[in-house]
Amino acid sequence: MATAEQIKALIRSHLSESHEQFFTVALQVAAHEARHGHSDLAHDIRQMVDNARLRPTVIIKFPNDLEGLVISEKPAIPLEALVLSADIKARVERIILEFRQQNKLKSHGLNHRRKILLTGAPGTGKTMTAEVLATELSLPLHTVQMDRLVTKFMGETSAKLRQIFERIRAVAGVYLFDEFDAIGGERSLDNDVGEMRRVLTSFLQFIENDTSDNLIIAATNNLRLLDRALFRRFDDVLHYDLPGEAERSRLITNLLGTFYGKQFPIAEAVAVAEGLSHAEIDRACRDAMKLAILNNKNYVTLASLIELLKERHAAYQGREE
């Protein structure tokens, strides 16, 4: 049977509608049952989690020549799962509130903020923010693969963008333009080409003329590459930093779940995690849990987590060399 801590963790995650945390604890229960020889039960639990995690991902029905460019999904990531600074999280909550109360704002001649630019290093929560917004607003998330748009359709990118914005007017959802710097580069850069200048000009016109109620989000890893003319087209610009001490502590505690022992010296792990992104800390914690399971333990040791966090640091250094 599941331990008392696991049962309480399941109840807490259910009440807070934290689906991913619920799945994590459920898998911990499966591992616990497997260690006690209940292999059939463990298999059934893992199968249920796998089935629940399968989110249908379909391609929006654009013309055939745009197949694979825009991907639609229905995320299930609640606001509680977003570990960000208090300032950024408050601004995300403001976007949600204004969207939900847009009719009230319109009755006073005001519009809700819906054109949002997210900037920051990779793995700091930009894409997850779009997923959370879609979840909280009960809307599908439509992700436009900007890098594919540019590389696959050079010479006709502006025409494809027009089709996308026509879809934005027609289909409700949260629209994420990922890897936005692929077209949003400064028009005066020496390595720029005429085609990309035309694409950026087209995008500026499309986003300025868009009058739909949908959320349009652009995400970039490199703010310095963006054309300054872009900023006034957005209702809000959110800058994402690497997690601070408080965010790192919450991340590690949340991710480890019941694998987080009561005597776990969290401060040491938080210190070692400094300089890592949210995504890198996530990977290290999940690797630590896998290591514990494979060693028939129901808790993560500080030594193993620190070693895995150091591995993530080494991976970063390798990319920078």
Side-chain angles (χ1 to χ4, degrees):
M1 292 293 292
T3 67
E5 287 300 317
Q6 288 171 337
I7 293 173
K8 289 191 288 185
L10 283 171
I11 294 173
R12 283 195 298 268
S13 59
H14 172 72
L15 293 177
S16 65
E17 297 184 352
S18 179
H19 301 289
E20 192 57 37
Q21 180 68 12
F22 186 90
F23 294 150
T24 297
V25 178
L27 289 176
Q28 292 170 9
V29 173
H32 176 82
E33 296 301 326
R35 287 195 297 271
H36 286 77
H38 305 149
S39 57
D40 289 343
L41 176 58
H43 175 270
D44 289 344
I45 294 174
R46 285 193 292 266
Q47 189 66 50
M48 285 188 286
V49 171
D50 289 342
N51 291 339
R53 272 178 162 164
L54 288 176
R55 294 181 299 181
T57 301
V58 296
I59 305 301
I60 293 180
K61 294 189 180 301
F62 279 99
N64 291 336
D65 60 346
L66 281 179
E67 184 175 353
L69 176 62
V70 182
I71 299 176
S72 178
E73 60 182 327
K74 187 69 174 176
I77 304 179
L79 182 64
E80 292 77 14
L82 201 58
V83 179
L84 299 171
S85 67
D87 171 63
I88 294 298
K89 193 161 187 178
R91 293 170 70 181
V92 172
E93 291 172 343
R94 183 174 62 185
I95 294 169
I96 295 170
L97 177 62
E98 288 191 9
F99 191 95
R100 288 172 174 167
Q101 299 291 327
Q102 58 181 279
N103 290 333
K104 186 175 183 179
L105 293 175
K106 288 177 181 177
S107 69
H108 292 272
L110 299 170
N111 295 318
H112 62 290
R113 62 190 69 224
R114 61 180 193 81
K115 300 173 184 178
I116 314 296
L117 176 62
L118 310 180
T119 74
T124 50
K126 300 185 297 298
T127 300
M128 188 175 181
T129 295
E131 293 172 332
V132 166
L133 287 170
T135 300
E136 293 294 329
L137 299 174
S138 300
L139 292 170
L141 175 64
H142 307 306
T143 302
V144 182
Q145 309 292 323
M146 296 305 298
D147 53 342
R148 294 191 62 188
L149 173 66
V150 172
T151 57
K152 187 176 180 180
F153 298 111
M154 180 62 76
E156 51 180 325
T157 311
S158 296
K160 306 306 180 187
L161 276 175
R162 180 183 297 277
Q163 289 178 279
I164 292 170
F165 274 90
E166 288 173 353
R167 175 63 57 159
I168 291 175
R169 287 197 298 271
V171 179
V174 174
Y175 286 80
L176 171 63
F177 288 81
D178 205 10
E179 303 290 344
F180 182 65
D181 40 283
I183 68 163
E186 173 67 56
R187 285 174 288 184
S188 62
L189 289 177
D190 293 337
N191 62 351
D192 199 10
V193 294
E195 162 69 6
M196 294 313 299
R197 283 197 295 271
R198 288 190 292 273
V199 171
L200 178 56
T201 299
S202 296
F203 182 88
L204 293 174
Q205 292 173 346
F206 291 144
I207 195 170
E208 189 161 27
N209 293 333
D210 179 75
T211 57
S212 71
D213 290 326
N214 289 323
L215 278 181
I216 300 174
I217 301 172
T220 177
N221 297 332
N222 198 330
L223 179 65
R224 292 174 298 177
L225 291 180
L226 295 186
D227 191 298
R228 287 186 293 272
L230 280 168
F231 292 92
R232 68 180 181 85
R233 266 73 174 194
F234 289 96
D235 301 320
D236 214 343
V237 180
L238 277 61
H239 300 285
Y240 287 67
D241 295 318
L242 294 175
E245 182 177 348
E247 289 82 50
R248 296 196 302 274
S249 180
R250 290 205 306 274
L251 272 172
I252 293 172
T253 303
N254 292 348
L255 288 166
L256 293 185
T258 59
F259 278 79
Y260 175 77
K262 293 182 179 179
Q263 304 302 319
F264 191 88
I266 185 70
E268 294 183 46
V270 168
V272 175
E274 184 176 5
L276 293 177
S277 70
H278 299 70
E280 296 289 356
I281 295 172
D282 182 290
R283 290 190 183 96
C285 288
R286 293 184 188 279
D287 285 345
M289 287 189 290
K290 288 190 287 185
L291 186 62
I293 292 170
L294 294 174
N295 284 285
N296 298 315
K297 295 180 179 179
N298 57 7
Y299 61 91
V300 166
T301 66
L302 175 65
S304 66
L305 179 56
I306 285 180
E307 181 64 27
L308 290 162
L309 289 168
K310 288 180 177 179
E311 282 186 12
R312 303 317 307 174
H313 277 293
Y316 263 131
Q317 292 169 359
R319 288 198 293 269
E320 292 171 356
E321 291 176 355

